[in-house]
Each structure stands twice: as structure tokens, then as C-alpha cells.
Amino acid sequence: MLLYDPAMGVLVNNPDVIITYILIWVVGLAVGSFLNVVIYRLPRGESINRPRSHCPHCKTPLHWYDNIPVISYVFLMGKCRQCHERIAVRYPIVELTNPILWMINYMLFGWSWYTLLISVVTTIFIIIAWIDIDEMLIPDCLNLILLVLSIIAIFVTVPERAHDFAVSKWDHLFGLSIAVVFLTIRMIGLRFSKTEIIGCGDIKLIAVIGLLLGWQLTLLGIMFASFLAVLVELPLRFLKRKAKEDSLPFGPYLIFGFLLSLYYGSQIVHWYLSLIA
Ligand SMILES: [Zn+2]
């Protein structure tokens, strides 16, 4: 089977590469399945490992064969075996997103410590995006994990692909200061118009990603996020699906922007710098 080998940059028929992809999908799906549990239980302060996974409608605990990521969903045709209530399609979507992001990480950054670290980051990204959609908040513990990962990242060799332009240690530290700008905007908004322009959780997320990616890629990510938020939210409001005063969860857009920036930001900044140089 021909698969993309990031080390060679071409399609190869190599058993090592095939095993790597299988590993990414098997472990990635298992973790993805666990993410559904985390997304549901973490904001409710429930234990993450107990009780066993159960149907949200009839509370029947799931057999292991009804709990196989994606496969069980397809096999049960999206319905609970006991109560035949529909299972939300977002469960298999969450499960699939994780190995897909892991696979992109591997294809872009190869088999490295950086890839391992970034894969934990992208998994946390999925949790943050969905909890923010559900609850309009980003739990501090998730930002804290990202902070620890960002600090470790300073000592990890970054593959060439991730930084086409030089990002110094200072650029990473300077990335933290972007959050200060948004904190100021938030305070001005609260003081003068009594509106929350940007949430505390979003600002903390910007701070830790600033440290992780450096200020250039972080700014780019926020630009992507804002652009996307306008593009999606404006039609939604226009169609009156949402009331004007409803605040929007900015987290998912930030996550999407940071992912784009992580994967292609370096090339975009490099291209831009070549234009003005
Ligand atoms: Zn059920």
C-alpha cells in the first residue's frame, strides 16, 4: 500500500510507515472516544473514569462492542441498542477528528518529539472547542495543561517545516504579551459598555498559544479566527438562528485559527516577508 512518508516527502510502500499510520488511527480513535467522555463530564465536575460510558437517554451502560469508536455508531446506525434513541452524530465526529489531526501532525512534522507534543496539544484543542460550544467556557485546567506543554515546547527541537522563518525564544515570550492587549480590550469593554468583548478563557488560551507558537503565528491565528467568526456568525444572526445579544463562543474559532496557523502559518508569514523584503 502506498502511503505518504514525511521523512522522504513521497508516497512509499514501507511497512514501518504503514504500521505508523495504523498506530495513529487505532490509538487516535481510542483517545477520540475518550474525549467524548471528557467533553461531557469535565464541565460538570464528574469523574472521568467512573461510571462506565452509558447511553445519555436510558442510562444503560454500554457493552464494549457498542463502544468501539465510529464502528459501533455505523453498526448501530446511530441508535442506542436498548432505547433506540438517536445518538448525536457529533460523537463519531469527535472520535474521527482526533486521529485526523494526529495524521496531519505526522504528515507535516514527521516522527519527532515535536509531533508527539503537538498531538497532545491538538487533542486538548478538540476538548476546548466542544466544551466552549456546549458551555461557553474554557476550563482553566485545560489552559494549564497547554501552558505546561508550551513551556516544554521551548526545549523541543522544532522541525524545519514548522518554522520557515526564524522564531527566537524572545518571539515565544513576546507571544504572551498579545494576551495583555486583549485583556486591555476586555477591561475597556467592561468599563465603558458593560459588555464582555472577549472571555477570560479565550485570553488565557491566546496567552498559552502565544508562548507555544510565537507572536507571529499567534497573531495570524487570531486573524484567521476573527475572519472565520464573522463569516459564520453573521449569516447565523441574519437568519435569526441566534439572538443579537447572544454572545458567541470564540474558543472554537480560535482553535481553528491556531490549527491553520500551526499547519500553514509559517509558509504564509514566509511568503508575506518575501513580498516586503
Ligand atoms: Zn439508550
Side-chain angles (χ1 to χ4, degrees), residues 162-195:
H163 282 161
D164 270 4
F165 59 99
V167 176
S168 68
K169 299 261 182 286
W170 290 109
D171 290 329
H172 287 276
L173 278 178
F174 198 57
L176 267 174
S177 61
I178 297 174
V180 179
V181 176
F182 282 93
L183 193 64
T184 314
I185 294 173
R186 177 187 159 85
M187 273 151 57
I188 291 171
L190 284 177
R191 175 75 180 76
F192 293 103
S193 66
K194 302 271 180 290
T195 48

PDB file of all heavy atoms in Angstrom, residues 162-195:
ATOM      1  N   ALA A 162       7.893  23.578  10.465  1.00  0.00           N
ATOM      2  CA  ALA A 162       7.058  24.395  11.344  1.00  0.00           C
ATOM      3  C   ALA A 162       7.511  25.857  11.366  1.00  0.00           C
ATOM      4  O   ALA A 162       6.732  26.739  11.677  1.00  0.00           O
ATOM      5  CB  ALA A 162       7.059  23.818  12.747  1.00  0.00           C
ATOM      6  N   HIS A 163       8.777  26.091  11.056  1.00  0.00           N
ATOM      7  CA  HIS A 163       9.291  27.460  11.115  1.00  0.00           C
ATOM      8  C   HIS A 163      10.127  27.783   9.900  1.00  0.00           C
ATOM      9  O   HIS A 163      11.334  27.611   9.918  1.00  0.00           O
ATOM     10  CB  HIS A 163      10.129  27.671  12.382  1.00  0.00           C
ATOM     11  CG  HIS A 163       9.301  27.862  13.609  1.00  0.00           C
ATOM     12  ND1 HIS A 163       9.794  27.683  14.867  1.00  0.00           N
ATOM     13  CD2 HIS A 163       8.005  28.216  13.765  1.00  0.00           C
ATOM     14  CE1 HIS A 163       8.838  27.912  15.754  1.00  0.00           C
ATOM     15  NE2 HIS A 163       7.739  28.224  15.114  1.00  0.00           N
ATOM     16  N   ASP A 164       9.485  28.246   8.854  1.00  0.00           N
ATOM     17  CA  ASP A 164      10.223  28.665   7.667  1.00  0.00           C
ATOM     18  C   ASP A 164      10.987  29.962   7.920  1.00  0.00           C
ATOM     19  O   ASP A 164      11.934  30.277   7.231  1.00  0.00           O
ATOM     20  CB  ASP A 164       9.269  28.861   6.483  1.00  0.00           C
ATOM     21  CG  ASP A 164       9.098  27.575   5.697  1.00  0.00           C
ATOM     22  OD1 ASP A 164       9.665  26.564   6.137  1.00  0.00           O
ATOM     23  OD2 ASP A 164       8.422  27.591   4.667  1.00  0.00           O
ATOM     24  N   PHE A 165      10.525  30.703   8.908  1.00  0.00           N
ATOM     25  CA  PHE A 165      11.250  31.917   9.290  1.00  0.00           C
ATOM     26  C   PHE A 165      11.737  31.700  10.723  1.00  0.00           C
ATOM     27  O   PHE A 165      11.194  30.869  11.452  1.00  0.00           O
ATOM     28  CB  PHE A 165      10.342  33.144   9.201  1.00  0.00           C
ATOM     29  CG  PHE A 165       9.128  33.034  10.075  1.00  0.00           C
ATOM     30  CD1 PHE A 165       9.078  33.648  11.310  1.00  0.00           C
ATOM     31  CD2 PHE A 165       8.039  32.281   9.667  1.00  0.00           C
ATOM     32  CE1 PHE A 165       7.973  33.521  12.119  1.00  0.00           C
ATOM     33  CE2 PHE A 165       6.927  32.153  10.476  1.00  0.00           C
ATOM     34  CZ  PHE A 165       6.893  32.766  11.699  1.00  0.00           C
ATOM     35  N   ALA A 166      12.760  32.430  11.097  1.00  0.00           N
ATOM     36  CA  ALA A 166      13.363  32.206  12.413  1.00  0.00           C
ATOM     37  C   ALA A 166      12.452  32.715  13.521  1.00  0.00           C
ATOM     38  O   ALA A 166      12.004  33.857  13.501  1.00  0.00           O
ATOM     39  CB  ALA A 166      14.705  32.913  12.473  1.00  0.00           C
ATOM     40  N   VAL A 167      12.117  31.844  14.467  1.00  0.00           N
ATOM     41  CA  VAL A 167      11.359  32.260  15.643  1.00  0.00           C
ATOM     42  C   VAL A 167      12.267  32.057  16.849  1.00  0.00           C
ATOM     43  O   VAL A 167      12.687  30.943  17.133  1.00  0.00           O
ATOM     44  CB  VAL A 167      10.073  31.421  15.806  1.00  0.00           C
ATOM     45  CG1 VAL A 167       9.344  31.807  17.082  1.00  0.00           C
ATOM     46  CG2 VAL A 167       9.160  31.608  14.605  1.00  0.00           C
ATOM     47  N   SER A 168      12.610  33.172  17.509  1.00  0.00           N
ATOM     48  CA  SER A 168      13.541  33.084  18.636  1.00  0.00           C
ATOM     49  C   SER A 168      12.770  32.818  19.925  1.00  0.00           C
ATOM     50  O   SER A 168      11.540  32.867  19.965  1.00  0.00           O
ATOM     51  CB  SER A 168      14.320  34.390  18.757  1.00  0.00           C
ATOM     52  OG  SER A 168      13.437  35.409  19.162  1.00  0.00           O
ATOM     53  N   LYS A 169      13.507  32.516  20.967  1.00  0.00           N
ATOM     54  CA  LYS A 169      12.893  32.328  22.286  1.00  0.00           C
ATOM     55  C   LYS A 169      12.124  33.586  22.688  1.00  0.00           C
ATOM     56  O   LYS A 169      11.089  33.529  23.324  1.00  0.00           O
ATOM     57  CB  LYS A 169      13.985  32.043  23.328  1.00  0.00           C
ATOM     58  CG  LYS A 169      14.790  30.777  23.019  1.00  0.00           C
ATOM     59  CD  LYS A 169      14.315  29.584  23.817  1.00  0.00           C
ATOM     60  CE  LYS A 169      15.145  28.347  23.549  1.00  0.00           C
ATOM     61  NZ  LYS A 169      14.899  27.713  22.240  1.00  0.00           N
ATOM     62  N   TRP A 170      12.670  34.754  22.266  1.00  0.00           N
ATOM     63  CA  TRP A 170      12.009  36.019  22.604  1.00  0.00           C
ATOM     64  C   TRP A 170      10.667  36.141  21.909  1.00  0.00           C
ATOM     65  O   TRP A 170       9.727  36.706  22.459  1.00  0.00           O
ATOM     66  CB  TRP A 170      12.909  37.200  22.232  1.00  0.00           C
ATOM     67  CG  TRP A 170      14.094  37.285  23.132  1.00  0.00           C
ATOM     68  CD1 TRP A 170      15.389  37.020  22.810  1.00  0.00           C
ATOM     69  CD2 TRP A 170      14.087  37.632  24.525  1.00  0.00           C
ATOM     70  NE1 TRP A 170      16.191  37.177  23.914  1.00  0.00           N
ATOM     71  CE2 TRP A 170      15.426  37.545  24.981  1.00  0.00           C
ATOM     72  CE3 TRP A 170      13.094  37.995  25.430  1.00  0.00           C
ATOM     73  CZ2 TRP A 170      15.777  37.811  26.295  1.00  0.00           C
ATOM     74  CZ3 TRP A 170      13.447  38.263  26.748  1.00  0.00           C
ATOM     75  CH2 TRP A 170      14.777  38.167  27.169  1.00  0.00           C
ATOM     76  N   ASP A 171      10.578  35.620  20.657  1.00  0.00           N
ATOM     77  CA  ASP A 171       9.306  35.671  19.928  1.00  0.00           C
ATOM     78  C   ASP A 171       8.229  34.897  20.683  1.00  0.00           C
ATOM     79  O   ASP A 171       7.071  35.280  20.715  1.00  0.00           O
ATOM     80  CB  ASP A 171       9.470  35.089  18.513  1.00  0.00           C
ATOM     81  CG  ASP A 171      10.313  35.988  17.625  1.00  0.00           C
ATOM     82  OD1 ASP A 171      10.264  37.213  17.834  1.00  0.00           O
ATOM     83  OD2 ASP A 171      11.013  35.461  16.748  1.00  0.00           O
ATOM     84  N   HIS A 172       8.660  33.770  21.304  1.00  0.00           N
ATOM     85  CA  HIS A 172       7.710  32.968  22.082  1.00  0.00           C
ATOM     86  C   HIS A 172       7.256  33.743  23.321  1.00  0.00           C
ATOM     87  O   HIS A 172       6.073  33.799  23.628  1.00  0.00           O
ATOM     88  CB  HIS A 172       8.352  31.644  22.503  1.00  0.00           C
ATOM     89  CG  HIS A 172       8.506  30.684  21.364  1.00  0.00           C
ATOM     90  ND1 HIS A 172       7.495  29.856  20.950  1.00  0.00           N
ATOM     91  CD2 HIS A 172       9.545  30.442  20.532  1.00  0.00           C
ATOM     92  CE1 HIS A 172       7.904  29.141  19.918  1.00  0.00           C
ATOM     93  NE2 HIS A 172       9.151  29.480  19.639  1.00  0.00           N
ATOM     94  N   LEU A 173       8.216  34.349  24.017  1.00  0.00           N
ATOM     95  CA  LEU A 173       7.869  35.121  25.212  1.00  0.00           C
ATOM     96  C   LEU A 173       6.999  36.326  24.827  1.00  0.00           C
ATOM     97  O   LEU A 173       6.032  36.643  25.516  1.00  0.00           O
ATOM     98  CB  LEU A 173       9.144  35.604  25.915  1.00  0.00           C
ATOM     99  CG  LEU A 173       9.811  34.575  26.830  1.00  0.00           C
ATOM    100  CD1 LEU A 173      11.082  35.154  27.436  1.00  0.00           C
ATOM    101  CD2 LEU A 173       8.854  34.135  27.942  1.00  0.00           C
ATOM    102  N   PHE A 174       7.353  36.957  23.707  1.00  0.00           N
ATOM    103  CA  PHE A 174       6.604  38.114  23.240  1.00  0.00           C
ATOM    104  C   PHE A 174       5.168  37.708  22.889  1.00  0.00           C
ATOM    105  O   PHE A 174       4.248  38.512  23.006  1.00  0.00           O
ATOM    106  CB  PHE A 174       7.326  38.720  22.027  1.00  0.00           C
ATOM    107  CG  PHE A 174       6.908  40.125  21.738  1.00  0.00           C
ATOM    108  CD1 PHE A 174       7.025  41.113  22.703  1.00  0.00           C
ATOM    109  CD2 PHE A 174       6.395  40.465  20.497  1.00  0.00           C
ATOM    110  CE1 PHE A 174       6.625  42.403  22.448  1.00  0.00           C
ATOM    111  CE2 PHE A 174       5.993  41.773  20.231  1.00  0.00           C
ATOM    112  CZ  PHE A 174       6.108  42.740  21.197  1.00  0.00           C
ATOM    113  N   GLY A 175       5.003  36.442  22.472  1.00  0.00           N
ATOM    114  CA  GLY A 175       3.682  35.925  22.153  1.00  0.00           C
ATOM    115  C   GLY A 175       2.727  36.028  23.330  1.00  0.00           C
ATOM    116  O   GLY A 175       1.523  36.250  23.167  1.00  0.00           O
ATOM    117  N   LEU A 176       3.281  35.882  24.529  1.00  0.00           N
ATOM    118  CA  LEU A 176       2.467  36.013  25.743  1.00  0.00           C
ATOM    119  C   LEU A 176       1.814  37.391  25.830  1.00  0.00           C
ATOM    120  O   LEU A 176       0.693  37.528  26.310  1.00  0.00           O
ATOM    121  CB  LEU A 176       3.362  35.823  26.975  1.00  0.00           C
ATOM    122  CG  LEU A 176       3.493  34.439  27.586  1.00  0.00           C
ATOM    123  CD1 LEU A 176       4.527  34.474  28.692  1.00  0.00           C
ATOM    124  CD2 LEU A 176       2.156  33.977  28.143  1.00  0.00           C
ATOM    125  N   SER A 177       2.539  38.412  25.336  1.00  0.00           N
ATOM    126  CA  SER A 177       2.076  39.788  25.533  1.00  0.00           C
ATOM    127  C   SER A 177       0.850  40.106  24.677  1.00  0.00           C
ATOM    128  O   SER A 177       0.138  41.065  24.955  1.00  0.00           O
ATOM    129  CB  SER A 177       3.202  40.771  25.226  1.00  0.00           C
ATOM    130  OG  SER A 177       3.570  40.606  23.879  1.00  0.00           O
ATOM    131  N   ILE A 178       0.595  39.290  23.621  1.00  0.00           N
ATOM    132  CA  ILE A 178      -0.614  39.524  22.812  1.00  0.00           C
ATOM    133  C   ILE A 178      -1.843  39.445  23.718  1.00  0.00           C
ATOM    134  O   ILE A 178      -2.798  40.203  23.573  1.00  0.00           O
ATOM    135  CB  ILE A 178      -0.721  38.481  21.681  1.00  0.00           C
ATOM    136  CG1 ILE A 178       0.461  38.631  20.728  1.00  0.00           C
ATOM    137  CG2 ILE A 178      -2.031  38.630  20.915  1.00  0.00           C
ATOM    138  CD1 ILE A 178       0.529  37.558  19.665  1.00  0.00           C
ATOM    139  N   ALA A 179      -1.780  38.516  24.687  1.00  0.00           N
ATOM    140  CA  ALA A 179      -2.900  38.351  25.613  1.00  0.00           C
ATOM    141  C   ALA A 179      -3.137  39.619  26.423  1.00  0.00           C
ATOM    142  O   ALA A 179      -4.288  39.945  26.752  1.00  0.00           O
ATOM    143  CB  ALA A 179      -2.633  37.169  26.544  1.00  0.00           C
ATOM    144  N   VAL A 180      -2.055  40.348  26.723  1.00  0.00           N
ATOM    145  CA  VAL A 180      -2.186  41.577  27.508  1.00  0.00           C
ATOM    146  C   VAL A 180      -3.030  42.595  26.728  1.00  0.00           C
ATOM    147  O   VAL A 180      -3.880  43.288  27.293  1.00  0.00           O
ATOM    148  CB  VAL A 180      -0.794  42.170  27.845  1.00  0.00           C
ATOM    149  CG1 VAL A 180      -0.931  43.456  28.628  1.00  0.00           C
ATOM    150  CG2 VAL A 180       0.030  41.140  28.615  1.00  0.00           C
ATOM    151  N   VAL A 181      -2.819  42.656  25.403  1.00  0.00           N
ATOM    152  CA  VAL A 181      -3.599  43.569  24.559  1.00  0.00           C
ATOM    153  C   VAL A 181      -5.087  43.234  24.666  1.00  0.00           C
ATOM    154  O   VAL A 181      -5.930  44.113  24.868  1.00  0.00           O
ATOM    155  CB  VAL A 181      -3.138  43.467  23.078  1.00  0.00           C
ATOM    156  CG1 VAL A 181      -4.012  44.337  22.184  1.00  0.00           C
ATOM    157  CG2 VAL A 181      -1.666  43.845  22.951  1.00  0.00           C
ATOM    158  N   PHE A 182      -5.393  41.914  24.571  1.00  0.00           N
ATOM    159  CA  PHE A 182      -6.797  41.507  24.633  1.00  0.00           C
ATOM    160  C   PHE A 182      -7.399  41.708  26.024  1.00  0.00           C
ATOM    161  O   PHE A 182      -8.586  41.987  26.166  1.00  0.00           O
ATOM    162  CB  PHE A 182      -6.952  40.056  24.166  1.00  0.00           C
ATOM    163  CG  PHE A 182      -6.896  39.934  22.671  1.00  0.00           C
ATOM    164  CD1 PHE A 182      -5.703  39.664  22.037  1.00  0.00           C
ATOM    165  CD2 PHE A 182      -8.030  40.140  21.905  1.00  0.00           C
ATOM    166  CE1 PHE A 182      -5.634  39.577  20.651  1.00  0.00           C
ATOM    167  CE2 PHE A 182      -7.980  40.063  20.526  1.00  0.00           C
ATOM    168  CZ  PHE A 182      -6.777  39.777  19.894  1.00  0.00           C
ATOM    169  N   LEU A 183      -6.556  41.556  27.038  1.00  0.00           N
ATOM    170  CA  LEU A 183      -7.001  41.804  28.412  1.00  0.00           C
ATOM    171  C   LEU A 183      -7.404  43.268  28.556  1.00  0.00           C
ATOM    172  O   LEU A 183      -8.429  43.591  29.174  1.00  0.00           O
ATOM    173  CB  LEU A 183      -5.874  41.446  29.395  1.00  0.00           C
ATOM    174  CG  LEU A 183      -6.260  41.354  30.861  1.00  0.00           C
ATOM    175  CD1 LEU A 183      -7.245  40.220  31.087  1.00  0.00           C
ATOM    176  CD2 LEU A 183      -5.022  41.132  31.730  1.00  0.00           C
ATOM    177  N   THR A 184      -6.624  44.152  27.943  1.00  0.00           N
ATOM    178  CA  THR A 184      -6.921  45.588  27.984  1.00  0.00           C
ATOM    179  C   THR A 184      -8.241  45.874  27.260  1.00  0.00           C
ATOM    180  O   THR A 184      -9.089  46.606  27.770  1.00  0.00           O
ATOM    181  CB  THR A 184      -5.776  46.384  27.313  1.00  0.00           C
ATOM    182  OG1 THR A 184      -4.539  45.892  27.801  1.00  0.00           O
ATOM    183  CG2 THR A 184      -5.900  47.864  27.597  1.00  0.00           C
ATOM    184  N   ILE A 185      -8.393  45.249  26.071  1.00  0.00           N
ATOM    185  CA  ILE A 185      -9.640  45.433  25.310  1.00  0.00           C
ATOM    186  C   ILE A 185     -10.836  44.985  26.147  1.00  0.00           C
ATOM    187  O   ILE A 185     -11.866  45.650  26.217  1.00  0.00           O
ATOM    188  CB  ILE A 185      -9.582  44.634  23.983  1.00  0.00           C
ATOM    189  CG1 ILE A 185      -8.513  45.219  23.063  1.00  0.00           C
ATOM    190  CG2 ILE A 185     -10.953  44.618  23.288  1.00  0.00           C
ATOM    191  CD1 ILE A 185      -8.250  44.400  21.807  1.00  0.00           C
ATOM    192  N   ARG A 186     -10.669  43.841  26.834  1.00  0.00           N
ATOM    193  CA  ARG A 186     -11.737  43.307  27.674  1.00  0.00           C
ATOM    194  C   ARG A 186     -12.103  44.286  28.785  1.00  0.00           C
ATOM    195  O   ARG A 186     -13.288  44.548  29.044  1.00  0.00           O
ATOM    196  CB  ARG A 186     -11.281  41.981  28.296  1.00  0.00           C
ATOM    197  CG  ARG A 186     -12.297  41.372  29.262  1.00  0.00           C
ATOM    198  CD  ARG A 186     -11.712  40.163  29.964  1.00  0.00           C
ATOM    199  NE  ARG A 186     -12.446  39.899  31.201  1.00  0.00           N
ATOM    200  CZ  ARG A 186     -13.565  39.186  31.242  1.00  0.00           C
ATOM    201  NH1 ARG A 186     -14.062  38.690  30.149  1.00  0.00           N
ATOM    202  NH2 ARG A 186     -14.184  39.003  32.401  1.00  0.00           N
ATOM    203  N   MET A 187     -11.056  44.860  29.422  1.00  0.00           N
ATOM    204  CA  MET A 187     -11.303  45.767  30.535  1.00  0.00           C
ATOM    205  C   MET A 187     -11.985  47.048  30.060  1.00  0.00           C
ATOM    206  O   MET A 187     -12.875  47.568  30.727  1.00  0.00           O
ATOM    207  CB  MET A 187      -9.991  46.070  31.272  1.00  0.00           C
ATOM    208  CG  MET A 187      -9.716  45.013  32.332  1.00  0.00           C
ATOM    209  SD  MET A 187      -7.983  44.705  32.693  1.00  0.00           S
ATOM    210  CE  MET A 187      -7.388  46.276  33.155  1.00  0.00           C
ATOM    211  N   ILE A 188     -11.569  47.553  28.890  1.00  0.00           N
ATOM    212  CA  ILE A 188     -12.194  48.760  28.322  1.00  0.00           C
ATOM    213  C   ILE A 188     -13.672  48.480  28.027  1.00  0.00           C
ATOM    214  O   ILE A 188     -14.551  49.277  28.358  1.00  0.00           O
ATOM    215  CB  ILE A 188     -11.452  49.211  27.031  1.00  0.00           C
ATOM    216  CG1 ILE A 188     -10.059  49.735  27.395  1.00  0.00           C
ATOM    217  CG2 ILE A 188     -12.250  50.284  26.295  1.00  0.00           C
ATOM    218  CD1 ILE A 188      -9.152  49.995  26.202  1.00  0.00           C
ATOM    219  N   GLY A 189     -13.942  47.306  27.439  1.00  0.00           N
ATOM    220  CA  GLY A 189     -15.318  46.921  27.117  1.00  0.00           C
ATOM    221  C   GLY A 189     -16.194  46.842  28.356  1.00  0.00           C
ATOM    222  O   GLY A 189     -17.323  47.334  28.372  1.00  0.00           O
ATOM    223  N   LEU A 190     -15.663  46.222  29.413  1.00  0.00           N
ATOM    224  CA  LEU A 190     -16.430  46.062  30.648  1.00  0.00           C
ATOM    225  C   LEU A 190     -16.692  47.417  31.299  1.00  0.00           C
ATOM    226  O   LEU A 190     -17.778  47.681  31.826  1.00  0.00           O
ATOM    227  CB  LEU A 190     -15.669  45.153  31.622  1.00  0.00           C
ATOM    228  CG  LEU A 190     -15.695  43.647  31.325  1.00  0.00           C
ATOM    229  CD1 LEU A 190     -14.838  42.895  32.325  1.00  0.00           C
ATOM    230  CD2 LEU A 190     -17.117  43.105  31.334  1.00  0.00           C
ATOM    231  N   ARG A 191     -15.661  48.293  31.235  1.00  0.00           N
ATOM    232  CA  ARG A 191     -15.725  49.577  31.925  1.00  0.00           C
ATOM    233  C   ARG A 191     -16.716  50.519  31.235  1.00  0.00           C
ATOM    234  O   ARG A 191     -17.528  51.152  31.889  1.00  0.00           O
ATOM    235  CB  ARG A 191     -14.305  50.181  31.942  1.00  0.00           C
ATOM    236  CG  ARG A 191     -14.173  51.568  32.505  1.00  0.00           C
ATOM    237  CD  ARG A 191     -14.280  51.537  34.021  1.00  0.00           C
ATOM    238  NE  ARG A 191     -14.159  52.868  34.597  1.00  0.00           N
ATOM    239  CZ  ARG A 191     -15.115  53.776  34.589  1.00  0.00           C
ATOM    240  NH1 ARG A 191     -16.261  53.527  34.007  1.00  0.00           N
ATOM    241  NH2 ARG A 191     -14.922  54.952  35.156  1.00  0.00           N
ATOM    242  N   PHE A 192     -16.652  50.570  29.898  1.00  0.00           N
ATOM    243  CA  PHE A 192     -17.396  51.617  29.193  1.00  0.00           C
ATOM    244  C   PHE A 192     -18.714  51.152  28.572  1.00  0.00           C
ATOM    245  O   PHE A 192     -19.623  51.938  28.411  1.00  0.00           O
ATOM    246  CB  PHE A 192     -16.517  52.273  28.121  1.00  0.00           C
ATOM    247  CG  PHE A 192     -15.383  53.050  28.717  1.00  0.00           C
ATOM    248  CD1 PHE A 192     -14.100  52.536  28.719  1.00  0.00           C
ATOM    249  CD2 PHE A 192     -15.612  54.284  29.313  1.00  0.00           C
ATOM    250  CE1 PHE A 192     -13.049  53.239  29.294  1.00  0.00           C
ATOM    251  CE2 PHE A 192     -14.573  54.992  29.889  1.00  0.00           C
ATOM    252  CZ  PHE A 192     -13.283  54.475  29.877  1.00  0.00           C
ATOM    253  N   SER A 193     -18.818  49.875  28.214  1.00  0.00           N
ATOM    254  CA  SER A 193     -20.097  49.486  27.607  1.00  0.00           C
ATOM    255  C   SER A 193     -20.724  48.293  28.326  1.00  0.00           C
ATOM    256  O   SER A 193     -21.724  47.753  27.880  1.00  0.00           O
ATOM    257  CB  SER A 193     -19.916  49.189  26.111  1.00  0.00           C
ATOM    258  OG  SER A 193     -19.099  48.055  25.951  1.00  0.00           O
ATOM    259  N   LYS A 194     -20.113  47.885  29.452  1.00  0.00           N
ATOM    260  CA  LYS A 194     -20.655  46.795  30.270  1.00  0.00           C
ATOM    261  C   LYS A 194     -20.857  45.506  29.465  1.00  0.00           C
ATOM    262  O   LYS A 194     -21.747  44.718  29.751  1.00  0.00           O
ATOM    263  CB  LYS A 194     -21.994  47.189  30.916  1.00  0.00           C
ATOM    264  CG  LYS A 194     -21.923  48.440  31.799  1.00  0.00           C
ATOM    265  CD  LYS A 194     -21.574  48.098  33.235  1.00  0.00           C
ATOM    266  CE  LYS A 194     -21.504  49.336  34.114  1.00  0.00           C
ATOM    267  NZ  LYS A 194     -20.353  50.213  33.818  1.00  0.00           N
ATOM    268  N   THR A 195     -20.070  45.363  28.380  1.00  0.00           N
ATOM    269  CA  THR A 195     -20.174  44.132  27.611  1.00  0.00           C
ATOM    270  C   THR A 195     -18.851  43.375  27.670  1.00  0.00           C
ATOM    271  O   THR A 195     -17.784  43.972  27.776  1.00  0.00           O
ATOM    272  CB  THR A 195     -20.485  44.405  26.122  1.00  0.00           C
ATOM    273  OG1 THR A 195     -19.587  45.408  25.657  1.00  0.00           O
ATOM    274  CG2 THR A 195     -21.915  44.796  25.897  1.00  0.00           C
TER     275      THR A 195
END
